[in-house]
Amino acid sequence: MMCCHAFLPYSPRLMSQQGAPTLLPHHQERQAAASVLPLARAHAARTTTASWLALRHSRHRLASSCAVVTRSSSAVAEAAPEQQVVPLYSGRKAVVVGAGPAGSTAAMFLARQGFAVDVHERRPEPKADAVDTGRAYIIILIPRGQAALQELGVPLPSQREFITKGTVRHSKQGKIGISREEGNVTFSRSGLAQYLIDQARQRYPQQISFHFGSTCAGVDFSQQLASFSVAGGGQVQQQFDLLVGADGAGSEVRKALQQHYPDMQVTIDDSGREYKVYGGVRGDIEPEEFKRDPGATLHLWSSDDPWTTVTAHSNPDGTYSGTFSLKTGGFSGLKTAAEYEALLRKKFVGVPDDWLPAIAEQAAAATPSPAGKRVRCSRFDGPGVLLLGDAAHAVTPVFGQGANSALESCKVLGAVLAEAAGDVSQVPQRFSAPRLADMHALNELDAKAYSFFRCGRHGGAVILHEACWGPNSVLFCVRWLCSLQGAACVL
């Protein structure tokens, strides 16, 4: 799951006087990061330093975030033209498990190179899935994630209500901090998933087929055969030349790979938080600078503990939607809307007074959803199989990197397919080898940041919309890690 909020403790020395980070042009970012890395080596733990060295050599910047909202893809809903196929892998069969953003994007990269692709998804199609809609959250695509869709020719919305302007942070003391972050593109998770399914069908109608209500029930690697339990009962089997596991943090493909390789190591950590969603509220909550220049905004309210938060995201229709989050198990003690409202009034300053009954009523009627996991795998490949997205490298909400990292992995897959020049046997290992270092670096960064978030060090947990750091996110995080170790990172 690609989670719905980003949380990050911070050191005041990293902030400008207005509370926003100092942003640098790209060439200055590279120079500054080069000067900071020796400090990171000297002051950070060895594992963290190694992670940062790997991460810094990644070609793309880290930044993404999400928050709950109902938002369609109608802004880019025009029919896509059927695409020309490069017949490198003509006659080959690929099976993709998972039809989320990563699965559908991977399917398009495979089809573009000539594969016939079957995509299996255990849930209903997003537009017909009330549960998925109820758990929807905003995904913000920065250039790192956008690059994969741009390479495929998939258009992104350009209307200002879909383009981010920034984040408004509301402290427990009632103070407001503004972080400007412009030019990234917002989707709801379910809206993005449906949009990419539609794009895949329209662009590669002869190559890609989707099968919903189809759950992976096992993989026979020696026979290159995948089994699926289908809705209504029964089971089907599909032969594959390449199997792509894009089936989330609870991946069945990954479990099958672990059985095949007993020494394969997989670590799964839970975020320790749950959230409920609300929507349809209206209010005059934007700061003047955002009123003058409208766009998509995110509001983040912190409380007196790092687990309890409220978010609100502006919608194209002028309403706001968002999340109410507690530590895992916290919702079990709340039974009535009155109890929810009492807790909201106790914990938060600045949430519009007329929102509280609506949030409380909706939360009391909703089922909590987990706020994400962190997954680390010792390998992403096997015989005729590879893992990508949350199945391989899920992260917690600390940095909100799930969506952009997953789409970037699809782009890497596209490059590997071209490099392998039709030899499908080379694809899994060629994909896994370079991707492991980058994703292990992200995993360790996420773990390091999350440990400080949970213990509330360095000023406590300040809720942060990760995308607001834009092109300087890697630089910011290096500076932040150095500050935790006492290094003087003044750039």
Side-chain angles (χ1 to χ4, degrees):
M1 169 181 168
M2 293 165 285
C3 201
C4 56
H5 348 293
F7 303 85
L8 185 64
Y10 78 113
S11 167
R13 81 185 82 180
L14 304 182
M15 312 295 284
S16 70
Q17 291 181 350
Q18 291 74 32
T22 301
L23 302 182
L24 301 176
H26 294 268
H27 69 285
Q28 292 182 26
E29 174 196 348
R30 290 191 293 270
Q31 294 168 0
S35 70
V36 168
L37 280 172
L39 293 172
R41 294 190 189 99
H43 295 278
R46 283 181 294 176
T47 54
T48 302
T49 303
S51 298
W52 271 110
L53 291 173
L55 191 59
R56 184 57 200 150
H57 286 292
S58 177
R59 291 175 296 175
H60 301 283
R61 300 175 297 276
L62 299 177
S64 78
S65 181
C66 38
V68 174
V69 71
T70 302
R71 184 174 295 237
S72 73
S73 55
S74 59
V76 285
E78 62 271 13
E82 186 172 347
Q83 301 297 294
Q84 186 173 357
V85 174
V86 177
L88 269 179
Y89 297 87
S90 181
R92 298 288 193 171
K93 168 69 73 174
V95 173
V96 177
V97 183
S104 294
T105 302
M108 285 189 275
F109 275 106
L110 291 162
R112 187 175 70 162
Q113 297 288 354
F115 277 99
V117 187
D118 282 277
V119 183
H120 292 261
E121 168 58 51
R122 66 182 182 86
R123 302 198 66 85
E125 192 164 352
K127 63 185 178 183
D129 188 356
V131 173
D132 191 55
T133 301
R135 296 173 62 234
Y137 45 84
I138 277 292
I139 290 174
I140 295 183
L141 298 182
I142 51 92
R144 183 179 183 225
Q146 293 175 28
L149 304 184
Q150 290 167 346
E151 184 165 320
L152 289 167
V154 173
L156 295 168
S158 58
Q159 293 89 333
R160 68 183 185 182
E161 61 265 28
F162 289 88
I163 308 302
T164 57
K165 299 305 296 183
T167 300
V168 183
R169 301 187 307 279
H170 305 259
S171 76
K172 59 188 177 184
Q173 293 82 20
K175 296 181 180 179
I176 293 176
I178 299 172
S179 299
R180 293 196 67 88
E181 171 269 316
E182 302 186 39
N184 298 327
V185 181
T186 64
F187 280 91
S188 72
R189 191 273 180 193
S190 57
L192 178 60
Q194 185 65 59
Y195 175 59
L196 293 175
I197 290 167
D198 294 340
Q199 287 285 308
R201 284 172 169 153
Q202 294 166 12
R203 290 173 177 274
Y204 301 99
Q206 306 304 315
Q207 275 76 38
I208 300 177
S209 299
F210 284 89
H211 310 274
F212 294 96
S214 182
T215 302
C216 182
V219 181
D220 185 336
F221 293 105
S222 63
Q223 299 295 318
Q224 292 192 300
L225 195 67
S227 299
F228 297 91
S229 299
V230 298
Q235 195 169 88
V236 298
Q237 293 183 321
Q238 277 209 294
Q239 205 83 35
F240 61 83
D241 296 295
L242 183 64
L243 176 66
V244 176
D247 49 338
S251 172
E252 294 297 327
V253 177
R254 188 186 65 235
K255 293 175 185 176
L257 199 58
Q258 286 180 264
Q259 293 176 354
H260 186 78
Y261 292 113
D263 61 343
M264 179 179 172
Q265 298 177 355
V266 176
T267 303
I268 303 176
D269 298 314
D270 190 84
S271 69
R273 301 177 71 252
E274 297 175 320
Y275 70 93
K276 293 189 176 187
V277 304
Y278 70 90
V281 295
R282 295 180 180 271
D284 183 13
I285 64 172
E286 298 300 340
E288 287 301 320
E289 61 186 278
F290 289 166
K291 289 180 181 178
R292 294 191 299 267
D293 187 18
T297 60
L298 178 65
H299 291 254
L300 305 151
W301 283 271
S302 58
S303 70
D304 56 1
D305 72 77
W307 307 98
T308 306
T309 62
V310 166
T311 71
H313 202 291
S314 61
N315 295 329
D317 65 359
T319 65
Y320 289 85
S321 301
T323 62
F324 174 33
S325 301
L326 295 175
K327 190 174 182 178
T328 299
F331 287 112
S332 62
L334 301 174
K335 304 300 182 183
T336 67
E339 291 173 336
Y340 276 88
E341 185 173 346
L343 181 61
L344 288 163
R345 292 187 182 279
K346 176 182 177 181
K347 287 285 190 178
F348 299 103
V349 175
V351 178
D353 190 71
D354 59 343
W355 286 18
L356 298 178
I359 295 173
E361 184 176 350
Q362 293 181 47
T367 301
S369 299
K373 298 180 184 296
R374 183 189 308 115
V375 174
R376 178 188 173 107
C377 302
S378 61
R379 64 187 306 153
F380 295 161
D381 68 301
V385 61
L386 61 88
L387 304 172
L388 55 74
D390 282 359
H393 47 76
V395 288
T396 71
V398 175
F399 290 118
Q401 290 299 320
N404 288 286
S405 295
L407 294 182
E408 183 183 59
S409 288
C410 296
K411 186 173 183 291
V412 171
L413 173 60
V416 166
L417 291 171
E419 292 167 3
D423 186 352
V424 69
S425 66
Q426 294 186 30
V427 172
Q429 198 278 331
R430 279 178 175 256
F431 170 84
S432 184
R435 201 66 182 139
L436 273 173
D438 285 349
M439 295 301 96
H440 285 178
L442 176 59
N443 182 279
E444 292 194 24
L445 167 62
D446 183 77
K448 182 74 171 179
Y450 196 69
S451 68
F452 282 90
F453 156 68
R454 292 184 67 171
C455 67
R457 290 179 60 180
H458 294 270
V462 172
I463 309 171
L464 175 67
H465 178 39
E466 166 60 14
C468 74
W469 305 116
N472 293 279
S473 58
V474 167
L475 173 60
F476 169 79
C477 294
V478 171
R479 296 174 69 186
W480 175 69
L481 281 175
C482 288
S483 76
L484 298 181
Q485 303 298 328
C489 298
V490 180
L491 303 180

